[in-house]
């Protein structure tokens, strides 16, 4: 398989379109296997490289038709209808083409990071060669040197990585679908089509696990198990009991770090995969989940300061994720919401907040302003708009009831105000701990 992958690049006119984490990873891989291969780096900004076999170009000055293969980085939007799609490829496309039999691909609008990380943690506690790659921050080409025939790959795979994929992983998981990334896809239908690539190219001996609410997607699967947030699917959680067609497992909630029903839903899927397809025992699974630590910025407990608990949920960039965060914590007194306005529909979130009747709702930034206007249309209940996170935390410290929780769960992207959601969460933590704010 490795030799076949190398032949995808050998003696070809290669373009790497986008020189971020994945672009640099692809360059490193090609340099290791084909040290003298000519490569063109294409980006929206000037790139400087000390590599005599690399040429750099700006996107706007590039004729893509002259290349044999264009390795596109995730997130780049192709608006040119005349773009030569037959030469388009990416790390995820090629990885799935050659290594799909040993790959578990997990996608969904929300929950994919936790589900992927937990499954990796469980399998890694039992098997000697397990890798976690993809949207989690590790380009899949980075593991090729260490990959063995019996390795297991857990691939947290985003819609951007799936968008043009022609192959699907052996086990493909679609956790859910909610309105997201409309700035990239334009319509929800196009976003769904990208996500569906996690299973639509599977063969008859492959396995799909699809949320039971994804009715249209279920019709397109050859061999699907349904997963449900209630008890209507093949795989679900009832309280602290994980259920699938072959087994049930009771989890001691006091011994794990994951909270909320949505996390038990994710856990139920991982339990099904680990126990049924990889023969992980109940004891091994329990031991693994009890040692699992939660992801940073996903319902992360910052600590208690002046008798107020602060929780960082900066990773929440859509309405449903914020709704689940509030529902899971139960004692939220103040919630901080808002960020980049990507034009998504916030009616569901505002209706939930109004009905939930939280004591304090603080909106911020561009999407926060739009939500605040929507709030005023729907209710006379009090809410507050502030310009930024600094002002939001400052106000929250004054108004949050002692013994209760202040939650940052923006339901919006961070771009334009912060480098990413991680930086936003880190700034929140610093502000919380700063007595002068």
């Amino acid at each position: 398989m490795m030799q076949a992958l190398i032949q995808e690049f050998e003696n070809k006119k290669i373009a790497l379109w986008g020189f971020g984490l994945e672009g640099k990873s692809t360059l490193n891989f090609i340099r290791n296997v084909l040290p003298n291969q000519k490569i063109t780096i294409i980006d929206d900004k000037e790139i400087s490289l000390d590599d005599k076999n690399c040429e750099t170009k700006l996107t706007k000055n590039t004729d893509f038709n002259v290349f044999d293969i264009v390795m596109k980085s995730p997130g780049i939007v192709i608006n040119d209808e005349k773009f030569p799609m037959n030469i388009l490829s990416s790390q995820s496309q090629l990885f799935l083409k050659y290594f799909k039999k040993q790959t578990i691909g997990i996608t969904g609008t929300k929950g994919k990071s936790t589900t992927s990380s937990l499954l990796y943690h469980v399998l890694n506690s039992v098997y000697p060669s397990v890798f976690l790659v993809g949207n989690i921050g590790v380009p899949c080409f980075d593991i090729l040197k260490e990959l063995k025939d019996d390795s297991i790959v857990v691939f947290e795979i985003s819609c951007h990585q799936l968008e043009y994929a022609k192959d699907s992983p052996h086990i493909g998981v679609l956790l859910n679908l909610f309105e997201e990334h409309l700035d990239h896809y334009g319509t929800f239908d196009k976003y769904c089509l990208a996500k569906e690539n996690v299973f639509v190219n599977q063969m008859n001996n492959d396995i799909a696990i699809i949320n039971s609410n994804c009715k249209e997607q279920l019709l397109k699967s050859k061999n699907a198990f349904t997963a449900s947030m209630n008890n209507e699917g093949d795989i679900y959680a009832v309280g602290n009991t994980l259920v699938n067609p072959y087994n049930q497992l009771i989890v001691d909630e006091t011994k794990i770090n994951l909270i909320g029903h949505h996390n038990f839903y994710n856990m139920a899927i991982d339990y099904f995969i680990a126990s049924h397809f990889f023969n992980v025992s109940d004891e091994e699974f329990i031991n693994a989940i009890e040692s699992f630590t939660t992801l940073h910025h996903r319902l992360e407990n910052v600590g208690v300061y002046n008798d107020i608990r602060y929780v960082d949920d900066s990773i929440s960039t859509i309405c449903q994720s914020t709704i689940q965060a509030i529902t899971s914590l139960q004692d939220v007194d103040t919630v901080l919401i808002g960020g980049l306005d990507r034009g998504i529909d916030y009616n569901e979130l505002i209706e939930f907040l109004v009905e939930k009747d939280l004591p304090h709702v603080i909106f911020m930034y561009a999407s926060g302003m739009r939500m605040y206007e929507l709030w005023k249309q729907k209710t006379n209940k009090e809410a507050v708009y502030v310009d930024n996170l600094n002002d939001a935390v400052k106000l929250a410290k004054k108004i949050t009831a002692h013994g209760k929780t202040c939650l940052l769960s923006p339901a919006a992207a961070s771009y334009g105000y912060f480098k990413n959601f991680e930086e936003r969460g880190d700034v929140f933590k610093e502000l919380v701990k700063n007595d002068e704010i």
Side-chain angles (χ1 to χ4, degrees):
M1 289 299 181
M2 185 64 72
Q3 191 57 43
L5 175 59
I6 293 171
Q7 288 175 0
E8 294 276 355
F9 301 106
E10 196 168 15
N11 299 319
K12 301 284 182 64
K13 293 181 180 178
I14 303 169
L16 306 185
W17 189 12
F19 202 55
L21 187 67
E22 196 163 294
K24 292 172 184 175
S25 168
T26 304
L27 176 61
N28 289 336
F29 169 74
I30 297 174
R31 276 289 163 262
N32 286 330
V33 296
L34 301 168
N36 299 315
Q37 179 73 50
K38 299 289 185 182
I39 300 171
T40 301
I41 310 292
I42 301 166
D43 202 274
D44 290 342
K45 59 185 180 182
E46 295 281 356
I47 301 294
S48 178
L49 278 177
D50 184 18
D51 188 328
K52 65 180 181 180
N53 290 317
C54 269
E55 178 187 8
T56 62
K57 287 188 174 184
L58 292 173
T59 303
K60 63 182 180 180
N61 298 331
T62 299
D63 178 8
F64 287 94
N65 290 283
V66 303
F67 299 105
D68 297 315
I69 183 171
V70 176
M71 295 289 288
K72 185 180 81 70
S73 291
I76 293 176
V77 182
I78 299 176
N79 291 318
D80 184 1
E81 293 182 359
K82 297 181 180 179
F83 187 91
M85 300 299 292
N86 61 306
I87 63 171
L88 185 71
S89 192
S90 67
Q91 281 204 6
S92 53
Q93 286 182 63
L94 292 178
F95 190 89
L96 290 175
K97 180 178 180 179
Y98 293 109
F99 305 104
K100 60 184 176 183
K101 289 183 179 179
Q102 57 200 107
T103 301
I104 306 161
I106 298 175
T107 197
T109 310
K110 54 189 176 61
K112 57 185 177 292
S113 294
T114 297
T115 307
S116 301
S117 300
L118 179 60
L119 181 60
Y120 163 77
H121 184 73
V122 170
L123 295 177
N124 192 48
S125 70
V126 177
Y127 289 90
S129 182
V130 185
F131 298 93
L132 177 62
V133 301
N135 198 56
I136 200 76
V138 180
C140 53
F141 276 22
D142 282 8
I143 68 167
L144 290 175
K145 274 187 175 180
E146 304 170 72
L147 195 65
K148 303 173 185 176
D149 289 343
D150 62 349
S151 296
I152 303 168
V153 180
V154 180
F155 200 141
E156 184 203 325
I157 192 161
S158 71
C159 54
H160 300 329
Q161 291 168 319
L162 284 167
E163 188 172 8
Y164 299 106
K166 300 177 182 67
D167 292 275
S168 298
H170 172 54
I171 299 177
V173 181
L174 178 60
L175 294 169
N176 43 59
L177 284 171
F178 297 104
E179 198 175 65
E180 173 74 304
H181 295 299
L182 299 189
D183 53 332
H184 180 107
Y185 294 97
T187 68
F188 182 57
D189 287 342
K190 289 182 179 179
Y191 168 68
C192 291
L193 287 173
K195 287 289 193 184
E196 289 168 11
N197 283 330
V198 78
F199 66 84
V200 293
N201 298 305
Q202 287 183 327
M203 307 303 288
N204 289 331
N205 61 340
D206 293 325
I207 299 102
I209 300 170
I210 302 173
N211 187 289
S212 58
N213 288 333
C214 302
K215 306 295 185 184
E216 293 184 18
Q217 287 67 40
L218 282 166
L219 295 174
K220 300 179 183 180
S221 173
K222 298 178 179 67
N223 185 18
F225 292 90
T226 57
S228 175
M229 286 290 289
N230 50 41
N231 59 357
E232 295 176 359
D234 299 315
I235 306 158
Y236 56 91
V238 179
N240 62 337
T241 302
L242 313 180
V243 181
N244 64 59
Y246 308 100
N247 209 351
Q248 296 187 11
L249 180 67
I250 298 174
V251 176
D252 186 343
E253 295 176 86
T254 66
K255 294 184 178 180
I256 63 172
N257 293 310
L258 293 168
I259 58 176
H261 181 63
H262 63 288
N263 275 324
F264 275 81
Y265 163 77
N266 300 334
M267 201 185 307
I269 292 172
D270 284 345
Y271 174 58
F272 174 61
I273 294 172
S275 62
H276 186 62
F277 298 108
F278 294 95
N279 299 312
V280 174
S281 70
D282 287 358
E283 182 180 4
E284 289 169 333
F285 187 85
I286 289 292
N287 288 337
I289 63 173
E290 287 181 357
S291 63
F292 178 72
T293 55
T294 54
L295 298 172
H296 291 308
H297 312 296
R298 179 54 176 150
L299 289 178
E300 183 180 357
N301 186 20
V302 178
V304 177
Y305 298 87
N306 294 321
D307 204 27
I308 298 170
R309 180 173 71 146
Y310 293 89
V311 175
D312 169 15
D313 194 45
S314 181
I315 201 172
S316 285
T317 59
I318 63 169
C319 298
Q320 273 292 330
S321 189
T322 296
I323 289 170
Q324 287 193 348
I326 294 170
T327 303
S328 297
L329 293 176
Q330 298 179 344
D331 67 341
V332 176
D333 189 76
T334 302
V335 61
L336 282 50
I337 300 177
L340 174 69
D341 189 355
R342 293 171 295 171
I344 67 175
D345 185 352
Y346 286 109
N347 276 285
E348 179 185 20
L349 176 58
I350 297 303
E351 289 169 3
F352 168 82
L353 292 170
V354 171
E355 183 177 346
K356 189 71 174 176
D357 201 23
L358 294 177
H360 305 110
V361 179
I362 302 175
F363 297 108
M364 53 190 176
Y365 299 114
S367 67
M369 175 57 76
R370 188 155 65 87
M371 284 187 270
Y372 182 53
E373 294 301 324
L374 193 59
W375 172 280
K376 290 190 291 185
Q377 294 173 20
K378 293 182 178 293
T379 182
N380 292 322
K381 294 178 181 178
E382 186 177 353
V384 180
Y385 173 80
V386 298
D387 287 334
N388 52 58
L389 182 59
N390 184 91
D391 291 346
V393 173
K394 185 176 182 179
L395 177 61
K397 288 182 176 182
K398 294 178 180 178
I399 64 177
T400 305
H402 286 196
K404 297 292 185 178
T405 294
C406 171
L407 168 69
L408 169 69
S409 190
S414 58
Y415 306 121
Y417 309 108
F418 303 94
K419 182 171 65 176
N420 47 39
F421 74 82
E422 291 95 340
E423 182 183 55
R424 177 171 61 188
D426 290 339
V427 170
F428 173 70
K429 294 174 186 175
E430 291 172 6
L431 292 170
V432 164
K433 298 172 184 178
N434 187 346
D435 291 334
E436 297 180 4
I437 298 298

